[in-house]
Amino acid sequence: MKTPWYKEPWAWLVFFLPFSAVVAGITTFIIANTNPDDLVVGDYYKKGKSINLEVSKVKEAQKLGMKFGLKLKNSELIIKPMGIEKTFPLLNANFYHPTLKERDFYLALTPDGSGNFRHTFDHDVSGKWQVTITSFENTWKVQSTIALPQSDFIELIPNPAEAQ
């Protein structure tokens, strides 16, 4: 006597393999559409020229002897100019998260009585960050990749190899 097709194990194996491929394809499609990557820069030539400009800003900071100390402790950010005689009326500080663009933020900081620049956060800023400090006139730039929070001062020194 012949058994029906649905009682044969080989029939279910033949059906299961294509079915699992369809499920995996649909899952991949859903994941790709719910978490899209940022687009690549369209005008790469302009971007390349702007990178050269950024490198010249870092070299200018290096020539001027710019150096800063940065510390984040108990949600208070302190940026301290180090080895610089000049006082700054305003510093621009950009914090770029390496993977989540929506966590990036910008601070315009003015000095306190001791010449340090302070800011108190009401949200968590822990993790890895690329920090860029520029003057108000945007003539020089110091940037570095750091991990926060830090109880000791992290030294930010201009390095043309890290310029972007």
Side-chain angles (χ1 to χ4, degrees):
M1 176 164 188
K2 255 180 136 179
T3 58
W5 67 269
Y6 55 86
K7 289 188 178 178
E8 290 290 333
W10 289 109
W12 287 108
L13 180 66
V14 168
F15 291 141
F16 176 73
L17 291 176
F19 179 73
S20 64
V22 169
V23 169
I26 291 171
T27 304
T28 303
F29 179 77
I30 291 170
I31 290 171
N33 283 328
T34 56
N35 300 321
D37 293 333
D38 290 333
L39 295 176
V40 176
V41 175
D43 193 358
Y44 58 88
Y45 180 72
K46 263 188 187 175
K47 183 68 176 169
K49 287 176 71 176
S50 69
I51 288 173
N52 290 340
L53 180 63
E54 297 301 313
V55 170
S56 67
K57 289 180 184 179
V58 174
K59 286 183 180 178
E60 180 67 21
Q62 197 175 32
K63 185 174 86 174
L64 294 172
M66 300 288 174
K67 195 181 338 179
F68 293 92
L70 185 141
K71 173 170 76 168
L72 177 70
K73 187 176 180 182
N74 300 330
S75 297
E76 183 183 27
L77 174 73
I78 302 171
I79 298 177
K80 176 173 74 170
M82 299 167 58
I84 306 166
E85 300 294 324
K86 185 178 177 184
T87 58
F88 305 104
L90 181 78
L91 280 184
N92 298 321
N94 289 296
F95 287 73
Y96 301 105
H97 194 272
T99 56
L100 303 172
K101 191 172 186 173
E102 62 272 4
R103 290 196 62 197
D104 296 353
F105 61 92
Y106 161 78
L107 300 171
L109 302 169
T110 55
D112 60 7
S114 62
N116 295 335
F117 298 85
R118 297 177 186 270
H119 181 78
T120 304
F121 292 103
D122 56 356
H123 61 281
D124 182 38
V125 290
S126 62
K128 186 176 178 181
W129 296 91
Q130 180 175 354
V131 179
T132 303
I133 299 174
T134 60
S135 66
F136 176 68
E137 302 86 15
N138 204 18
T139 56
W140 53 264
K141 173 175 143 176
V142 177
Q143 71 182 29
S144 185
T145 302
I146 62 170
L148 294 176
Q150 286 285 340
S151 57
D152 296 328
F153 279 100
I154 304 168
E155 203 171 71
L156 304 177
I157 302 170
N159 182 359
E162 291 182 5
Q164 294 180 13

